[in-house]
Amino acid sequence: MWNQSSKFLLLAAMAGMLVPAWVTGQDKPAAGQPQYKDPAEFTLYDSILKDTNPKTRLDKLQEWQTKYATTEFESQRKALFLDTYVKLNQPKEAIAEAKLILADNPKDFTSLYYTMYFTRALAGDKPTPEVLDQGEKAEAALLANIDTPPPNVTTDQWKGARPGVETLAHSTEGWIEMQRKNWAAAEGEFQKALQMDPNSGEVDFFMGTVVASEKNPQKMSEALFYFARAATYEGTGGLAPAGRQQALSYVQRAYKGYHGSDEGFNDLLAAAKAQATPPADYHIRTAGEIAQAQQQDQQKKDEVEAANHPELVLWKNIKTQLTGADGATYFNSSMKDAMLPTLKGKVVKLEPELKPKTVVLALEDGTTPDATLKFEMPLAGKVEPGTELTFEGVPQSYTASPYMVVFNVEPEKLHGWTGKNAPRPAAPRKKTSASN
């Protein structure tokens, strides 16, 4: 998934600028320059320079080394070996050859560059301290002389090539520090790389990784943004489609675990696709923050409800106690035979329907019966279901499931009852003598 972009192989294009023309066979060696031992060496050397196939050129280089173990062209031969191993994408051999060159010239730009470039390939899944250290020394040496163009490179040429070298140096050092689990140091290097080249899906993913690894809750939103950037950026420097898909799957899981749901995830993707860095003060709420906000909202609603409907709050609190594990204890110690403050409900049923001695009310939601009022004497007439009543009563019993509290209520403690006694039937009229 994570492969260095080929754009950093800029020295392949610069190779002709990094060695004198006579080394490439364009001119014969001048006086004071290395000389061939014999015509056969010249012929072999010339054939190597003209061979554009790195495989066959390597065979010729090895032949040259066998036939001419010592040569005045030793430095050129090492440079050609290095160039050939690079073209064959053989990191181990390339770095080994670079070490030989650096032993003679510690500032050789080409050898330092490829030692840095191939650090990750040589390190593999289990990088050794030695590999990390040599990569770090190479990038540090390059950065120490970054203002000076390499030999045979003009100022204008270096102006165009330098940003790529400098970006790779910082991203390589960031990767090295990431392997060492120096998260803050790695973040700083990746940040420098992104400032120079903000469009690198690979560095974005690495940036998200090290920021998340710092375990700083205040920076997790930033980490998720960089993961999302790696998943959505499709331009030059972006990950391959398969890599973007893996990054997308990862950040979606990470986002849901952090936020508690997928809500807002598409907004994150849109923001990351539109810009290379997180907006100022960018923040994604955690599941805990959302729960806390919901709790605060509910508390405010409860406070408003308590102010506007104190009797409903009282009833809900009673229900919570009675349906809990210690409901019976609470009822016997705090409610039974004690006059409760005013409660309010709506009529569900009357028993009997006319002149009832029992009224069933719904206190909590207006429809589900949860309170039964008992009267010693029948009430006058009747009221329609849904009529709102208030009362002060004395609890006598309860059941937790289905939830029901039975109250004894005095008639004068019932408020809102509008029932009237039904009129007596009219007596039949007596017949008069005239009607006979």
Side-chain angles (χ1 to χ4, degrees), residues 11 14-19 109 148-162:
L11 288 190
M14 293 176 60
M17 298 187 290
L18 296 175
V19 292
F109 179 87
T148 304
N152 306 302
V153 176
T154 68
T155 300
D156 286 342
Q157 289 170 336
W158 184 235
K159 185 178 179 180
R162 170 179 167 168

Side-chain angles (χ1 to χ4, degrees), residues 101-109 111-112 141:
I101 297 172
L102 291 170
D104 297 328
N105 180 9
K107 293 185 178 181
D108 182 74
F109 179 87
S111 298
L112 290 172

